[in-house]
Amino acid sequence: MTAERAEGVVRAVVVTDGRLLLVPEPAGWGLPSGIPQPAETPQATAARAVYELTGYLVDGTEALDPGDDDGGTTILCRLLTESPTDGGRLTPDHLRWASVEETADTPLPAPVRHYLEGHTPPI
């Protein structure tokens, strides 16, 4: 069995307690994302991008169905630490944990929106 190599932008979906991890983007808020390194799997790219941006350790578990998306890969990640380490480029006050309702105006890929609607508990 060979590992799938990541191509294009890899976005990480980190959900805990019904809240989604968002990072600042030029047009507002978005998912932590990164470009894969040579021979890096999408899961490894997502985990690395989250750690480098936020300091949180995550485990990239599975790819979400791309649907009619832009060709990037979206990886569902499991949060492994409750608090970020000092390794992230962004400080905790520059991160946002948003409920699904709070992401209504956030431009999220369709597979992410679909996942959130079906897999987050009501508040």
Side-chain angles (χ1 to χ4, degrees), residues 22 28 42 51-52 63 68 70 75 80 92 101 103:
L22 298 173
Y51 179 74
E52 288 177 354
D68 295 337
D70 62 3
I75 301 294
L80 300 176
E101 293 80 18
T103 66

Side-chain angles (χ1 to χ4, degrees), residues 64-70 110-111:
L64 294 180
D65 180 12
D68 295 337
D69 211 13
D70 62 3

Side-chain angles (χ1 to χ4, degrees), residues 35-84:
I35 302 296
Q37 294 178 355
E40 191 172 50
T41 66
Q43 291 81 0
T45 301
R48 179 181 50 78
V50 170
Y51 179 74
E52 288 177 354
L53 286 171
T54 71
Y56 282 104
L57 291 174
V58 299
D59 181 13
T61 57
E62 66 180 277
L64 294 180
D65 180 12
D68 295 337
D69 211 13
D70 62 3
T73 304
T74 306
I75 301 294
L76 182 61
C77 296
R78 184 177 45 145
L79 188 64
L80 300 176
T81 56
E82 292 183 25
S83 301

Side-chain angles (χ1 to χ4, degrees), residues 17-43:
D17 296 328
R19 299 168 65 86
L20 175 67
L21 177 62
L22 298 173
V23 297
E25 290 187 340
W29 294 95
L31 299 172
S33 61
I35 302 296
Q37 294 178 355
E40 191 172 50
T41 66
Q43 291 81 0

